[in-house]
Amino acid sequence: AIYAQILRSALVLHTVSLIVLALQIISSALLLRILDDTIFDGSLASALKPNLKAIDLPKDAISPEVIERYFEKTWFWGLTGPHLLLGLSAVGIVGMLCSFWLYAPLVWGPGRNHNRNILPIFILIGVIKVLTVTYEFMKRLSGYYLRAAENLILEVGDGYTPRERKRKKQKT
């Protein structure tokens, strides 16, 4: 049936997984915005605002004024660029901790020079891990709904009526 092909399509599963990942990032950004406003008085978001004058951007790159404008612009529900970066970082760190937490001592263990340049790579790996877990969950969920729809179709074909069941019980 066509609904089964659509429900189990890789394109549909990937699209839904990306939408769920975006919702996870936005919801964690909203939560961090609430925490930042109530507990930290906005210091988390202001700490992420880059000092763009110190960054040497190539001449063909985006100007620092454009980047500052996107960091100050309110996107939706009061979220700004730093809040979205905090949400992305939170999802990435949770994903990394769920899969690669054994590798962290290799980078940040005793005797290391505490180089934090690898943190964006770990966040990216964590986001990819969250995306794969979300994809597998959507795949299982679509399989469950497909089985439920097939069972519903099979039960409709039997023509079940409660009166016939009562008559059969009375005869025996």
Side-chain angles (χ1 to χ4, degrees):
I2 188 101
Y3 67 90
Q5 291 175 349
I6 292 173
L7 194 59
R8 297 296 279 188
S9 169
L11 179 64
V12 171
L13 288 174
H14 281 92
T15 305
V16 171
S17 297
L18 286 173
I19 290 170
V20 170
L21 178 68
L23 290 175
Q24 289 171 345
I25 291 171
I26 290 170
S27 63
S28 65
L30 282 171
L31 178 67
L32 286 169
R33 179 184 176 265
I34 291 169
L35 290 175
D36 187 27
D37 290 344
T38 58
I39 297 173
F40 300 109
D41 295 326
S43 62
L44 287 177
S46 62
L48 277 180
K49 292 179 184 174
N51 185 3
L52 297 173
K53 307 277 191 243
I55 300 173
D56 289 332
L57 293 173
K59 291 182 181 180
D60 57 346
I62 299 173
S63 68
E65 293 82 22
V66 172
I67 296 173
E68 277 185 26
R69 187 173 30 161
Y70 279 109
F71 264 68
E72 295 296 327
K73 178 183 174 187
T74 301
W75 293 65
F76 46 88
W77 299 314
L79 292 177
T80 60
H83 292 117
L84 290 172
L85 283 176
L86 283 171
L88 179 71
S89 299
V91 169
I93 289 171
V94 168
M96 191 266 305
L97 289 176
C98 290
S99 61
F100 296 105
W101 62 273
L102 290 174
Y103 299 117
L106 297 176
V107 179
W108 293 304
R112 306 291 187 256
N113 62 357
H114 299 288
N115 187 359
R116 303 285 189 235
N117 292 337
I118 199 157
L119 186 62
I121 295 170
F122 275 172
I123 289 173
L124 180 66
I125 290 171
V127 168
I128 291 170
K129 174 65 178 177
V130 169
L131 181 62
T132 57
V133 167
T134 304
Y135 177 78
E136 291 297 321
F137 175 73
M138 288 297 144
K139 194 173 173 182
R140 279 188 275 130
L141 189 66
S142 68
Y144 170 76
Y145 282 131
L146 183 60
R147 282 191 302 275
E150 287 175 355
N151 289 339
L152 182 65
I153 290 171
L154 293 175
E155 288 175 5
V156 169
D158 291 339
Y160 169 75
T161 57
R163 291 184 195 154
E164 291 178 15
R165 178 175 270 187
K166 286 182 182 179
R167 287 182 193 155
K168 288 180 184 178
K169 283 185 180 179
Q170 290 174 355
K171 288 181 183 179
T172 56

